[in-house]
Amino acid sequence: MKKTKKDDSIFELYAHEYDLMTCAAGRRAHHEQEVAAMVDRFKPESVLDAGCATGMTAALFAERGIRAVGIDRSSNMLKEARRKYGDTSLPVEFRLAHFEKLPKLLHGKFDLVACLANSISGIGTLSRLRQSLKNFYAVLKPGGHLVLQLLNFAAIKENTLYPIKTTNHSGLIYQRFSERRGNRFYVYVTRSDLNAKPPGLKVFRHEFDRFTVDEMIRAMKFSDFRGVRKYGDLFLEKTFSAKSRDVVITGRRPD
């Protein structure tokens, strides 16, 4: 199977189905609580949602009166985000941008950068991770915070397929699963359309470097973040341990 390119990524080709694929409606209430926990902890007035996809996280911040900017490298994801929230009165906007090439006009504009749900994994390599974290540091105001999340971190065992989610929406079936091989991480997605004649099946693979917790922390410290801490969830209450499924790492730009 060939390596997936940006233009044949399932997230680009089927951005209009992303909310179905990820059960966005079912996740919203829980994620609203996670956003509330971050707001209570960091008290931001402005937030950069790095890897915003179709915009739910940015919109949840905006619903609390916090100015939010969502960025993504997928133009089709941004199209969906603007379709959903562009005609609302929420203080939110969406821009096309790459983590490793953030425009200077964003420098020093945000109290919080939230890079959630494995968005940082999509950067691909350790060198791009370091550059991305430098850029996140640059867009923060002095005293601002960064929140990084890696999902299913401890659950994915070496050379074992790990099922993530299966969704079925009136015959449109998505199956997602992951695999770890050494320092490489793979995400597979199948899309079955039982309503098509004949029924259709497409398989996608996305391949990344697998960042360890220690690599993430070293990269944050290399980018001059201070007070780096790790947690087991986005409520920032559960202490991270070897048994934690997810990892959330936070850091602060000094005053």
Side-chain angles (χ1 to χ4, degrees):
M1 185 184 299
K2 69 178 182 177
K3 183 177 177 180
T4 303
K5 299 178 182 177
K6 176 184 179 297
D7 57 0
D8 59 12
S9 161
I10 191 169
F11 304 112
E12 187 73 14
L13 292 175
Y14 293 102
H16 59 290
E17 296 175 3
Y18 180 80
D19 287 351
L20 297 178
M21 185 194 320
T22 60
C23 296
R27 292 186 297 110
R28 194 183 193 281
H30 179 75
H31 192 42
E32 186 174 11
Q33 295 176 354
E34 293 175 325
V35 168
M38 286 186 281
V39 171
D40 289 344
R41 174 66 64 92
F42 302 117
K43 297 177 173 53
E45 296 181 0
S46 54
V47 174
L48 180 69
D49 177 13
C52 65
T54 59
M56 180 167 67
T57 299
L60 287 173
F61 277 109
E63 287 174 6
R64 293 177 170 269
I66 298 166
R67 183 177 64 85
V69 175
I71 61 170
D72 205 280
R73 65 180 62 228
S74 168
S75 57
N76 285 338
M77 285 286 192
L78 293 172
K79 180 180 178 181
E80 290 300 305
R82 291 172 182 136
R83 180 186 63 79
K84 291 165 60 179
Y85 305 110
D87 292 333
T88 69
S89 59
L90 294 175
V92 62
E93 60 179 292
F94 300 98
R95 299 183 182 184
L96 184 69
H98 295 241
F99 299 169
E100 68 274 28
K101 299 178 183 178
L102 292 182
K104 290 186 177 180
L105 60 86
L106 296 179
H107 284 192
K109 299 294 186 182
F110 301 97
D111 300 308
L112 177 66
V113 174
C115 187
L116 310 181
N118 282 337
S119 292
I120 196 62
S121 297
I123 203 64
T125 66
L126 193 57
S127 62
R128 289 182 177 179
L129 170 66
R130 293 183 180 128
Q131 184 59 52
S132 298
L133 295 183
K134 286 183 179 179
N135 287 338
F136 290 162
Y137 183 96
V139 302
L140 283 171
K141 298 176 183 177
H145 290 82
L146 168 65
V147 178
L148 292 176
Q149 182 185 40
L150 289 174
L151 297 175
N152 305 313
F153 179 83
I156 303 172
K157 307 302 180 183
E158 181 75 15
N159 294 323
T160 301
L161 293 178
Y162 175 76
I164 299 174
K165 192 77 173 179
T166 297
T167 61
N168 184 347
H169 299 276
S170 302
L172 181 60
I173 301 171
Y174 276 104
Q175 294 176 303
R176 293 180 286 153
F177 49 99
S178 299
E179 181 182 22
R180 174 165 62 87
R181 299 182 196 170
N183 67 343
R184 301 298 286 170
F185 178 68
Y186 303 85
V187 175
Y188 303 90
V189 185
T190 67
R191 178 186 184 274
S192 303
D193 186 354
L194 303 186
N195 299 311
K197 296 182 179 181
L201 172 64
K202 292 185 178 181
V203 182
F204 300 83
R205 183 183 74 171
H206 299 268
E207 179 181 348
F208 318 102
D209 276 5
R210 177 183 179 270
F211 306 132
T212 67
V213 172
D214 287 343
E215 285 173 334
M216 297 278 286
I217 290 175
R218 283 196 298 268
M220 288 186 70
K221 291 181 177 178
F222 178 80
S223 302
D224 292 329
F225 283 98
R226 299 292 185 266
V228 177
R229 294 182 174 86
K230 51 188 177 182
Y231 301 90
D233 61 19
L234 268 181
F235 293 103
L236 306 178
E237 296 176 344
K238 185 186 298 183
T239 301
F240 177 78
S241 70
K243 295 183 179 180
S244 297
R245 188 194 69 176
D246 306 330
V247 59
V248 176
I249 304 175
T250 66
R252 178 175 176 272
R253 175 171 177 166
D255 292 328

